[in-house]
């Protein structure tokens, strides 16, 4: 067995060794920094990115956005991840999307979230304001990226950037807001040439939902539903019971009055949820939810069931973009 003895160095020698080691460490750190990731002054770059973005929005009569720490974190994480792992996509190799990154940073799924990304192989490092100006101009010259920048229903903005001399530079813009009401086909209202949406109260929502469903029932030769305020009220109470505007796991039947239970026997319900759909209940929301239900075979079968003679529609909005709807049906 070989043994190694520890030798005690004289104090002067130990000091020289320590100085040499410190010098080597400083050299290694300098080399690592020179070949590593560069982000520039993020606070300054984010302010510049926001200023340039809001200039373009003001030119199109759109309200300005505000910087958001959660969006900054999600954007920076994505820029650095693309740089480290050498990929360029809105979706990570594991399949994570911008919404996944936003939620991981603490964001809410009630919001609408959008993302612009860019990659530059010839941009100088570290990035500065001229880099951000070049990126903003490139995004505005691209129809899809421009659409995100000039979207309605946005309130918050985040920016991330990271570069390496060998791999180039990656930049990310993130956007979030309450969004706008969905159209019947699922498209968000753009605010540019769309028919205006109207905020409507509970009774008008009920009447519109029944009208849309009864048109489909008529096409199938089924008798129309009659409106039932008791069923609508039970649905509203069920929505109020839901936690944080997520009522799809609660039942409207628990809220029916004794009179309603005695009057009807055959109860069914269909429900839906929408994120990034605006802050107020509108006619477009009712058309969206009913349209979604009629497009799904199981829900359509329930809505068009001849055994159902009465219906009640309820809807709730959480004020930050999340909306839920519930249709309760009953028969004799």
């Amino acid at each position: 067995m070989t043994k190694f003895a520890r030798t005690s160095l004289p104090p002067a020698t130990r000091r020289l060794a320590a100085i040499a080691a410190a010098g080597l460490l400083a050299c290694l750190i300098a080399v690592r920094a020179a070949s590593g990731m560069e982000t520039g002054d993020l606070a300054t770059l984010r302010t510049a990115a926001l200023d340039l973005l809001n200039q373009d929005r003001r030119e199109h009569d759109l309200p300005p956005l505000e910087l958001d720490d959660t969006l900054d974190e999600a954007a920076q994480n994505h820029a650095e991840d693309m740089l480290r792992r050498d990929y360029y996509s809105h979706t990570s190799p594991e399949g994570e999307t911008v919404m996944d990154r936003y939620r991981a940073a603490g964001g809410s799924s009630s919001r609408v979230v959008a993302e612009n990304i860019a990659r530059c192989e010839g941009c100088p490092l570290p990035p500065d304001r001229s880099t951000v100006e070049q990126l903003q101009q490139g995004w505005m010259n691209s129809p899809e990226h421009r659409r995100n920048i000039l979207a309605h229903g946005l309130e918050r903005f985040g920016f991330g950037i990271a570069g390496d001399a060998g791999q180039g530079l990656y930049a990310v813009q993130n956007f979030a807001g309450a969004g706008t009401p969905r159209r019947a086909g699922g498209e968000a209202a753009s605010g540019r040439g769309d028919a205006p949406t109207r905020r409507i109260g509970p009774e008008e929502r009920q009447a519109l939902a029944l009208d849309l469903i009864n048109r489909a029932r008529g096409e199938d030769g089924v008798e129309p539903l009659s409106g039932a305020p008791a069923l609508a009220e039970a649905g509203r109470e069920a929505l109020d019971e839901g936690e944080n505007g997520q009522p799809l796991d609660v039942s409207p039947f628990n809220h029916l009055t004794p009179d309603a239970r005695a009057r009807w026997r055959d109860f069914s319900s269909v429900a839906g949820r929408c994120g990034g759909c605006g802050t107020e209940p509108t006619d477009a929301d009712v058309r969206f939810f009913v349209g979604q239900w009629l497009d799904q075979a199981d829900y359509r079968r329930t809505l068009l069931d001849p055994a159902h003679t009465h219906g009640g529609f309820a809807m709730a909005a959480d004020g930050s973009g999340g909306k839920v709807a519930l249709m309760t049906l009953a028969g004799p």
Side-chain angles (χ1 to χ4, degrees):
M1 177 182 294
T2 303
K3 294 183 178 180
F4 296 93
R6 178 176 298 172
T7 303
S8 178
L9 297 176
T13 306
R14 288 202 299 268
R15 283 196 297 273
L16 289 174
I19 292 171
L24 178 61
L25 178 60
C27 180
L28 290 174
I29 291 174
V31 171
R32 188 176 294 117
S35 62
M37 185 181 300
E38 296 197 54
T39 63
D41 184 341
L42 281 176
T44 300
L45 295 179
R46 284 168 176 159
T47 299
L50 180 68
D51 289 343
L52 294 166
L53 173 94
N54 283 335
Q55 286 177 23
D56 289 325
R57 287 181 63 86
R58 278 193 297 271
E59 290 176 2
H60 292 80
D61 298 321
L62 292 168
L65 306 187
E66 296 180 5
L67 279 177
D68 183 274
D69 291 342
T70 302
L71 290 171
D72 280 341
E73 179 181 342
Q76 189 63 31
N77 287 344
H78 190 42
E80 293 182 7
D81 188 52
M82 288 191 291
L83 178 65
R84 274 194 302 265
R85 298 200 284 170
D86 192 24
Y87 72 95
Y88 180 58
S89 173
H90 292 288
T91 305
S92 75
E94 294 77 24
E96 293 180 341
T97 65
V98 60
M99 176 57 82
D100 295 325
R101 292 187 286 273
Y102 178 59
R103 292 182 62 183
S108 168
S109 58
S110 291
R111 315 288 277 175
V112 64
V113 183
E115 179 180 77
N116 287 340
I117 61 175
R119 182 178 186 179
C120 178
E121 295 184 354
C123 288
L125 294 174
D128 55 19
R129 183 182 176 90
S130 64
T131 308
V132 178
E133 291 173 351
Q134 179 181 343
L135 291 166
Q136 180 66 16
Q137 183 178 358
W139 281 320
M140 282 296 290
N141 289 338
S142 165
E144 292 184 3
H145 300 93
R146 180 189 181 94
R147 192 175 301 119
N148 284 338
I149 292 171
L150 302 181
H152 289 248
L154 300 178
E155 301 148 13
R156 301 285 181 172
F157 173 74
F159 182 80
I161 193 166
D164 178 271
Q167 293 176 260
L169 179 142
Y170 294 80
V172 179
Q173 287 182 324
N174 277 351
F175 311 86
T180 58
R182 290 288 185 270
R183 296 292 174 179
E187 293 287 333
S190 69
R192 297 183 292 272
D194 292 329
T197 60
R198 295 184 300 110
R199 178 181 177 181
I200 57 176
E203 293 183 0
E204 193 172 355
R205 293 174 221 156
Q206 160 95 332
L208 178 56
L210 286 173
D211 179 61
L212 296 170
I213 294 170
N214 283 336
R215 289 184 195 177
R217 288 172 71 93
E219 292 172 359
D220 270 28
V222 181
E223 290 295 315
L225 296 172
S226 297
L231 297 177
E233 179 61 25
R236 283 193 290 272
E237 292 181 5
L239 297 187
D240 290 340
E241 184 182 276
E243 182 178 356
N244 297 322
Q246 309 296 320
L248 302 191
D249 57 350
V250 299
S251 171
F253 314 120
N254 299 332
H255 300 277
L256 289 168
T257 64
D259 178 67
R261 293 176 184 275
R263 182 179 178 188
W264 297 299
R265 298 291 181 183
D266 184 17
F267 296 101
S268 298
S269 69
V270 296
R273 180 186 295 125
C274 178
C277 297
T279 58
E280 302 288 347
T282 69
D283 59 330
D285 296 315
V286 179
R287 297 179 189 278
F288 165 72
F289 283 117
V290 174
Q292 293 290 298
W293 293 335
L294 290 173
D295 284 342
Q296 298 183 43
D298 291 344
Y299 286 2
R300 183 182 182 90
R301 194 159 33 247
T302 299
L303 294 176
L304 305 189
D305 188 343
H308 297 137
T309 59
H310 291 75
F313 178 85
M315 183 177 163
D318 65 11
S320 64
K323 294 178 180 176
V324 287
L326 188 60
M327 188 75 193
T328 307
L329 305 110

